[in-house]
Amino acid sequence: MPFPIAELSARYAQAVDRRDRDALAALFAPDVTFTLPPALTGGDASTITGAREVADAVVGAVSHLIATRHVVHQQVVDGLTGELYCTAHHLYRREDSVRDNRIALRYADRYVAFGDGWVFASRSLTVDFSEDVPVRVP
C-alpha cells in the first residue's frame, strides 16, 4: 500500500511497536540505509543496508522488551529530505518493577518515490538524551 511522505514516520512507529517486520520492511526502499549512532551501538556508528535487513534489525533490537511506544512529534519535510523528532519509550523489567528507558531521538530522512507512494531511502538516527525511570503498568 503506498503512503504519503507525511505518513511514513507514524507508520514506522506503529510497525516497530507492533513488532511487524513486514509492515516495517514495506516502508523502505530495497537498498535503504539505516544509520545508528554510537549512543545506541556502544561503539562506532553502524549502517544497515536493505529493507528486510533493517526491519529485522529494528524489530530484533526491541523484541526483548515488554513493550515500546514511539511517539512522533514534529516533522519537517523539505523536498525529498526530512527531520523528525520522536520520543521512544522502552519498557523492561528490573527485579520486581517495570522501568521505561525513554530516548529523545531525531531522524534525518531521505525519501524516494516507490510504486504509487513514498518510502524511506535512508534514515540516520541521533540520540539527543535519555532517561530511565520507574513506571506503573496497569
Side-chain angles (χ1 to χ4, degrees), residues 4-11 72-78 81-86 107 109-111 120 123:
I5 288 174
E7 204 173 300
L8 287 176
S9 293
R11 295 277 181 180
V72 174
H73 300 292
Q74 70 264 24
Q75 179 179 18
V76 176
V77 175
D78 185 14
T81 63
E83 183 178 47
L84 172 88
Y85 285 65
C86 173
Y107 290 93
D109 295 325
R110 278 189 319 104
Y111 316 104
F120 293 108
R123 292 203 99 182

Side-chain angles (χ1 to χ4, degrees), residues 42-85:
D44 295 329
S46 173
T47 300
I48 305 161
T49 303
R52 178 55 59 184
E53 292 79 4
V54 170
D56 288 345
V58 170
V59 172
V62 299
S63 63
H64 69 286
L65 299 166
I66 296 169
T68 56
R69 178 175 228 163
H70 291 78
V71 182
V72 174
H73 300 292
Q74 70 264 24
Q75 179 179 18
V76 176
V77 175
D78 185 14
L80 298 179
T81 63
E83 183 178 47
L84 172 88
Y85 285 65

